[in-house]
Amino acid sequence: MNETPKKYGRVAYYPGCALEGSGHAYNCSTQEVGKVLGLELVEVDNWNCCGAMEVKNVDPKLQTYLSSRVMSIAANEMGFDTVMAPCNGCYHNLKKAEYDLEHDPETVAVVERISSKAGHETYKSGQVETIHALDWIKEGIGEEGLKARVKNSLKGIRVANYYGCMYTRPRHIFPEKDQGPGSESTLQPHFMDDLLAAAGAENVDFPLKTACCGGAHTLSDSDMSTKLVMNILRAAEASGADVVATECPTCHSGLEMHQVRGEKRFGFKSKVKILYFTQLLGLALGVKPKPLGVHENISDSMDFLKSKGLA
Amino acid sequence: MPIHEKSLIRQENLIEHEKLEIDGIDVSGHWSTFIQTRVVTDYNEDMETEVAALPGGEHIHRCWQCGSCTNACTVNAINPDFNPRYWIYLTRIGMEAELLRDKDIIWQCISCNKCTYACPRDVNPEGVMKALSHWLELKGHTEKSPSMHFDEVFSEQVFQTGKIEEGRTIRRFFARTGQELNQDWLVEMIIRMVRHLPVKLLFAMGLQSVLKPRTRGWGKARDAIHEYVAEKDAEHRKALKLDPPHGPA
């Protein structure tokens, strides 16, 4: 239907564990948006967990090995030079692995050793470029391209764009960010703002874009996470937002979970809805809520979307 | 209380006598409060080296105490006693007893990496917090923290199968830390979650938790990882002058 865009037209897709569980809706909506935009996703064959925060806490070099195996399969067995990871955690870990393998000989030695024992080719830094779902659409389609394809404008929806921690911190593992006009900023990220604005949404001035939701201790230190989430949701409402747009399954389920927990434990009241940015983009591109997994969200936004003529 | 307002004299070091006379001079009451001298004799000079031997702690020696980490810290904003700069200082000069006063909150670092982002000396304070938590636990100063239980439950599953099935991780974590699964907010969340879900999807979710997703042909990677973990455990215990781990290496 649409011509295949030059950049990121066909990339290796690494959904990661969360997108097969609690982040199922993010997985569906990402794939739906890809389909409509003519961006082809080929899932990394027989992938494994990227190591997440937890394996890093046991041993950072093991986390690097786990992430490197995913990139090795994409590069050496499937011939891809780009891996797209929509989950902030996976994206961060693949980027971190790339950085460590380029700069730390000890890490390289550990990865070589485990890779050869595990019987697959060792990943070498530079073989693939890891991108986030935001880069994928922003660079692959761009705002103009997106505007041209919008069927139902998100007009009248006020959005607080929430990026979380892992998308921008620490700066050194994202060498392509902070490179002047057009590039993503680590202090004031704007790719999600740009895409949703192109789809017609009104972005509010939201000060907690890169605040932490406490995702790492969501179950082991729940009170802390609930406090952090209440801060984020309160700030979003104070900024006038109807919706918090997310781009990470851990942030998303953290916000949803602690919105409920805050209600139950701290009498916290909030009306703000929580939606993945891919769900919002999908709606704008004319996809129905169901294939985008909107009904799977705990934060029930159906009535709100109906009132805006989007469902 | 922010650290700059904190009194350097601790309550327990203030001594007030109802009735006391020294050399014929009455020193009773509030106006003659004594301050017990604080003498530090128990410097642990190996502390910095030991923490630096654990993953994440490698660059602790670079710190020049600017305080950017504490200033940027997410947890510090909620609990001002959470002070990475101060703990790095104590570790470097070996004031173990002073550090142990905060031993039960150090694990609460949420890994948001704001400190690592702000640090002008590449200390990786987030990593130092993890190394400190490990150090406290290995030295027997603290029990395993809930967060460390979670890391272990999670990592064990990844090492065994290559992947994570969230439901299983959560159930195991709750079992291991002795928490009930039927907490009001969890129940409420699940009710809201399944309210709109079609039966087909619920069935698929149930099936996933029975079948357990796994990476095919993971056996060799699993063995290589386990071997590496055992080696590292032994290395860490040696660096901390502890007995070698029990059981099969």
Side-chain angles (χ1 to χ4, degrees), chain B residues 1 17 46 60 63 80 97 103-104 112 126 130 133 143-145 147 166 178 187-188 195-196 199 201 205 208 232 237:
Chain B
M1 195 192 307
H17 295 274
D46 297 330
I60 187 170
C63 177
K103 66 185 165 66
D104 295 321
C112 70
E126 184 263 348
K130 298 300 155 193
S133 314
E143 297 276 296
K144 226 168 234 167
S145 68
S147 150
E166 291 163 327
V187 172
E188 175 70 22
R195 196 184 292 156
H196 303 286
V199 179
L201 186 67
M205 280 163 72
Q208 210 202 10
K232 281 284 152 189
R237 296 189 72 89

Side-chain angles (χ1 to χ4, degrees), chain A residues 20 22 46-49 54 56-57 59 113 117 169 171 186-187 217 221 257 261 263 265 300, chain B residues 107-109 112 117 126 134 147 150-151 162-163 166 184-185 189 192 196 215-216 227 231:
Chain A
E20 293 204 331
S22 56
N46 195 29
W47 50 264
N48 56 276
C49 169
E54 288 76 6
K56 186 225 74 182
N57 290 346
D59 191 297
R113 171 185 151 180
K117 284 192 179 167
R169 285 192 297 267
R171 191 201 311 257
T186 56
L187 271 178
H217 289 172
D221 194 3
M257 203 161 133
R261 195 173 184 277
E263 217 174 274
R265 292 281 164 94
D300 188 356
Chain B
W107 67 274
Q108 285 183 303
C109 163
C112 70
Y117 186 103
E126 184 263 348
H134 281 132
S147 150
F150 192 82
D151 292 344
K163 283 189 183 178
E166 291 163 327
D184 54 351
W185 61 278
M189 196 184 81
R192 290 191 200 184
H196 303 286
T215 307
R216 293 187 309 278
E227 183 191 76
E231 232 171 70

Side-chain angles (χ1 to χ4, degrees), chain B residues 10-215:
Chain B
R10 295 211 168 97
Q11 206 57 45
E12 64 266 28
N13 292 340
L14 293 176
I15 303 170
E16 204 179 298
H17 295 274
E18 246 175 61
K19 187 93 195 111
L20 181 68
E21 205 172 284
I22 298 175
D23 293 343
I25 300 165
D26 180 21
V27 286
S28 325
H30 185 65
W31 289 100
S32 300
T33 298
F34 287 74
I35 303 167
Q36 212 166 43
T37 328
R38 195 164 62 131
V39 184
V40 181
T41 51
D42 54 349
Y43 285 98
N44 176 353
E45 288 176 22
D46 297 330
M47 215 163 135
E48 181 181 13
T49 332
E50 288 179 0
V51 171
L54 298 175
E58 296 89 347
H59 303 310
I60 187 170
H61 64 281
R62 293 177 180 165
C63 177
W64 59 18
Q65 288 289 306
C66 69
S68 298
C69 47
T70 297
N71 187 38
C73 180
T74 298
V75 182
N76 176 267
I78 296 208
N79 176 8
D81 285 336
F82 192 95
N83 192 337
R85 182 210 48 86
Y86 186 48
W87 297 333
I88 291 173
Y89 169 73
L90 296 175
T91 306
R92 294 205 59 204
I93 62 171
M95 285 179 77
E96 185 172 358
E98 187 69 17
L99 183 86
L100 291 182
R101 297 171 65 94
D102 290 331
K103 66 185 165 66
D104 295 321
I105 59 170
I106 294 176
W107 67 274
Q108 285 183 303
C109 163
I110 206 98
S111 297
C112 70
N113 272 317
K114 286 195 172 182
C115 51
T116 307
Y117 186 103
C119 179
R121 293 278 294 159
D122 257 341
V123 170
N124 184 11
E126 184 263 348
V128 175
M129 292 305 108
K130 298 300 155 193
L132 270 179
S133 314
H134 281 132
W135 183 85
L136 288 167
E137 188 225 314
L138 284 169
K139 284 280 184 179
H141 292 308
T142 52
E143 297 276 296
K144 226 168 234 167
S145 68
S147 150
M148 216 171 285
H149 277 299
F150 192 82
D151 292 344
E152 283 183 5
V153 167
F154 188 103
S155 298
E156 274 161 23
Q157 205 186 340
V158 176
F159 297 164
Q160 277 300 328
T161 64
K163 283 189 183 178
I164 281 294
E165 192 272 299
E166 291 163 327
R168 186 151 162 258
T169 314
I170 293 169
R171 286 194 303 276
R172 280 198 174 179
F173 169 71
F174 274 68
R176 221 168 121 164
T177 49
Q179 296 182 68
E180 296 276 336
L181 265 171
N182 63 351
Q183 304 192 31
D184 54 351
W185 61 278
L186 262 179
V187 172
E188 175 70 22
M189 196 184 81
I190 289 163
I191 292 171
R192 290 191 200 184
M193 188 161 71
V194 299
R195 196 184 292 156
H196 303 286
L197 286 189
V199 179
K200 209 172 78 183
L201 186 67
L202 288 174
F203 183 71
M205 280 163 72
L207 203 64
Q208 210 202 10
S209 81
V210 177
L211 291 178
K212 295 180 195 105
R214 49 174 67 238
T215 307

